[in-house]
Amino acid sequence: AAVQVVPNPYLAYHNYTESHELKNSESGLSWENQDDGTPGFYPQYDRRIEFINLPLSAIIRIYTVAGDLVQLIPHNTVGDTGGRWESDYSEKWDLNNRNFQQVAAGLYLFSVEDRTEANRGKITTGKFVIIR
């Protein structure tokens, strides 16, 4: 399966904090406001999108349409801080740029550089939209 971004488009005015109920009536997880246990967790800033269907090890780069690098996210490679909400094949992004500021609305491009031994250097690209 191809690398995807969810939700796409990301709607800033949508309530992603609603809990999704599981089949057995237990409380499910919400998309946002999932306390990751870090000292810097603030629910009002817990905005996020998820990159899914990633290679086991990769580097994600997010760009503006003008080609400016917005953020670099390591996935299961040097520099990955991990966290309990990621899986081996997904990685979250908090919509902050490299200066820790929330990004503006617009179209963004991404590239995923495969860092696994079998496909080292293979690049996958895509795009997503943030609507505020």
Side-chain angles (χ1 to χ4, degrees), residues 37-114:
T38 58
F41 173 75
Y42 300 103
Q44 65 272 30
Y45 298 119
D46 185 34
R47 300 284 185 198
R48 64 192 184 109
I49 61 173
E50 194 89 15
F51 291 87
I52 61 172
N53 301 327
L54 292 171
L56 188 56
S57 178
I59 296 176
I60 303 164
R61 292 177 177 89
I62 301 167
Y63 300 93
T64 65
V65 290
D68 295 324
L69 180 64
V70 174
Q71 187 60 276
L72 187 139
I73 306 167
H75 172 66
N76 293 336
T77 189
V78 176
D80 190 358
T81 57
R84 62 189 234 207
W85 302 111
E86 285 104 27
S87 75
D88 285 344
Y89 301 99
S90 71
E91 190 76 37
K92 70 174 187 193
W93 178 46
D94 60 7
L95 304 183
N96 287 326
N97 65 19
R98 294 182 298 160
N99 294 323
F100 307 102
Q101 298 167 319
Q102 286 280 291
V103 297
L107 176 65
Y108 290 86
L109 309 174
F110 69 88
S111 70
V112 175
E113 179 185 346
D114 194 328

Side-chain angles (χ1 to χ4, degrees), residues 7-20 29-33 47-48:
N8 187 10
Y10 178 88
L11 307 171
Y13 52 82
H14 185 78
N15 185 5
Y16 292 112
T17 64
E18 294 174 345
S19 179
H20 300 287
L29 290 173
S30 63
W31 183 258
E32 295 179 329
N33 290 334
R47 300 284 185 198
R48 64 192 184 109

